[in-house]
Amino acid sequence: MPYEPMSHVQVRMRIKDRGTGYTACPVSAGGGRSLLVQVPRGDAGLPWVPPGTEVELLRKDGLRAAAGTVRARTLRPVPSFAVELRDTLLSEVLYTPKEGRAILVTGGKGGSGKTFVSLGLSVLLAQQGWRVSLVDADLGTADIAVNLGLPREPHLGHVLDRKVESMAALQQGVRPNLAVLPGAMGARWGDPSVWKLGHLLTVVQELRPSHDFVVLDSRAGVGQDVTALWQGVDRVLFVTVDEPAGMADTLNLLEAFGDTGRLRSGALVVNRVHSYRDASDRLLDFAQQVRRLTGRELPLWGVLQEDPRVHALAAQHKLLAEAYPLAPTTVALRQLAARVQA
Ligand SMILES: Nc1ncnc2c1ncn2[C@@H]1O[C@H](COP(=O)(O)OP(=O)(O)O)[C@@H](O)[C@H]1O
Ligand SMILES: [Mg+2]
């Protein structure tokens, strides 16, 4: 295996069930799925970790980047392990994007939970240390500021009218690591010109450098604003409800999306599920229809339960993801956040 110390790379390694952190630095690549982890000087216990031991690699910022298995140990040229990664390439472990990724949350139907997913995803990503800007791009019927109990102005409409700079309209520190750009409420904002839509894409570009994630909440259906945003994002989450009508709406949306070639970046989230057992047949059927329509397998990245506590929390401007970190719906949202990071 070639050995090239990369002293600038900082990855930490945690050995499962021991709870101990080791600085795996320098790290040397031995192919896409394996790497050498050098034993830190003075860490006498590490060389005796036997092959087959499960390890986790953590990035400098503490986020879990990959899991792997110790395959071999070597003492030369320096004591190290060969670790084989599971499901992740080394380049993905080491990759820290310079520019934030833009994620559009959309769906075929109003009330399916696009805003609920945008909010939950954003606060959970921010809790994990990512710098997030949440943009309410639901032009005309925006409600993120209301959901969070924030001032509603200045808003995206003012930015698109070029009365305010995007950075000035961004409300910083809504939560640690979370900034929010409120959306425009009212009919006059509902039908933006192509110039404004072009400017909307510019706003996304302006926010990327200073954030790890730009999450965009949008309105339902195939409005021009939504189709414009498809062009400017890295990932599109289609939120659909677990009902035939909602699923049919989402299929319509996917069909409209189909020939733009951007479905590659799409993933499905099914929300407001009442019973996993009842839903499973419908979900399978839905997945099949999606495959037939689009000719591809769109990954199902979330199945979120309807949680009866959401309604009462909303009156206090509280989010389920924060008030109930262990609620099944929050756990599913956290899994969605993990997939978005991968
Ligand atoms: N998983 C869920 N459990 C309970 N209530 C939910 C859930 N998802 C969404 N809601 C509620 O349903 C309503 C519509 O959701 P919202 O996110 O505003 O939909 P959209 O943005 O797609 O129009 C809101 O009152 C929201 O709080
Ligand atoms: Mg909404």
Side-chain angles (χ1 to χ4, degrees):
M1 197 182 286
Y3 185 78
E4 286 173 34
M6 296 189 286
S7 51
H8 61 285
V9 177
Q10 291 190 28
V11 180
R12 286 190 306 126
M13 193 173 78
R14 184 198 289 153
I15 298 187
K16 274 201 176 160
D17 306 326
R18 289 201 190 185
T20 321
Y22 296 97
T23 304
C25 172
V27 178
S28 155
R33 287 222 184 276
S34 56
L35 58 109
L36 277 181
V37 177
Q38 186 184 328
V39 177
R41 210 187 294 264
D43 214 332
L46 200 57
W48 310 115
V49 175
T53 304
E54 298 278 299
V55 298
E56 286 179 334
L57 292 182
L58 311 177
R59 286 182 7 177
K60 193 172 131 199
D61 49 14
L63 287 169
R64 183 179 169 284
T69 310
V70 172
R71 286 284 170 238
R73 326 181 273 242
T74 158
L75 288 173
R76 283 194 193 81
V78 283
S80 19
F81 305 112
V83 172
E84 194 175 289
L85 298 178
R86 238 189 343 266
D87 310 329
T88 315
L89 290 174
L90 182 60
S91 53
E92 291 164 15
V93 179
L94 304 180
Y95 175 71
T96 9
K98 283 189 205 70
E99 296 243 301
R101 279 170 276 177
I103 294 159
L104 174 63
V105 182
T106 190
K109 198 175 162 68
S112 58
K114 297 177 291 298
T115 302
F116 178 80
V117 169
S118 304
L119 282 163
L121 180 65
S122 299
V123 298
L124 292 174
L125 285 168
Q127 275 177 12
Q128 291 167 17
W130 299 101
R131 297 160 305 160
V132 180
S133 61
L134 170 59
V135 179
D136 191 342
D138 182 344
L139 293 165
T141 43
D143 55 4
I144 281 186
V146 176
N147 268 288
L148 291 171
L150 299 174
R152 298 181 196 176
E153 297 189 350
H155 59 57
L156 182 62
H158 302 132
V159 176
L160 298 186
D161 276 353
R162 300 183 190 248
K163 296 207 168 98
V164 191
E165 295 288 329
S166 58
M167 282 307 200
L170 200 62
Q171 295 180 23
Q172 301 284 355
V174 170
R175 302 283 191 277
N177 301 316
L178 178 65
V180 171
L181 179 47
M185 285 169 113
R188 95 160 260 253
W189 309 98
D191 193 15
S193 67
V194 287
W195 306 111
K196 287 188 188 168
L197 292 179
H199 194 48
L200 180 56
L201 293 181
T202 311
V203 169
V204 177
Q205 296 308 329
E206 284 169 354
L207 297 178
R208 279 176 191 261
S210 49
H211 297 92
D212 299 306
F213 291 98
V214 180
V215 177
L216 295 130
D217 183 23
S218 73
R219 62 174 146 183
V222 261
Q224 279 193 335
D225 46 344
V226 178
T227 45
L229 280 170
W230 287 349
Q231 314 303 318
V233 299
D234 305 293
R235 178 68 68 193
V236 184
L237 300 180
F238 296 96
V239 180
T240 185
V241 270
D242 174 31
E243 286 166 10
M247 289 177 171
D249 279 340
T250 301
L251 288 169
N252 277 338
L253 180 66
L254 289 173
E255 193 167 24
F257 207 97
D259 50 5
T260 64
R262 295 209 44 99
L263 270 185
R264 252 177 300 121
S265 61
L268 300 169
V269 177
V270 180
N271 185 29
R272 315 200 72 168
V273 171
H274 285 271
S275 138
Y276 287 130
R277 183 137 41 104
D278 292 354
S280 65
D281 283 350
R282 264 193 308 279
L283 292 183
L284 284 175
D285 188 50
F286 178 58
Q288 230 165 36
Q289 290 188 56
V290 169
R291 196 180 315 130
R292 220 174 299 134
L293 185 75
T294 63
R296 63 175 69 236
E297 205 97 35
L298 276 199
L300 178 60
W301 274 9
V303 179
L304 312 182
Q305 258 180 324
E306 172 86 13
D307 192 309
R309 293 170 288 193
V310 170
H311 187 73
L313 288 168
Q316 308 164 49
H317 305 297
K318 285 189 179 158
L319 304 179
L320 183 79
E322 292 175 308
Y324 294 97
L326 298 178
T329 307
T330 306
V331 173
L333 277 168
R334 209 173 287 118
Q335 280 164 358
L336 176 65
R339 295 204 152 113
V340 161
Q341 289 164 36

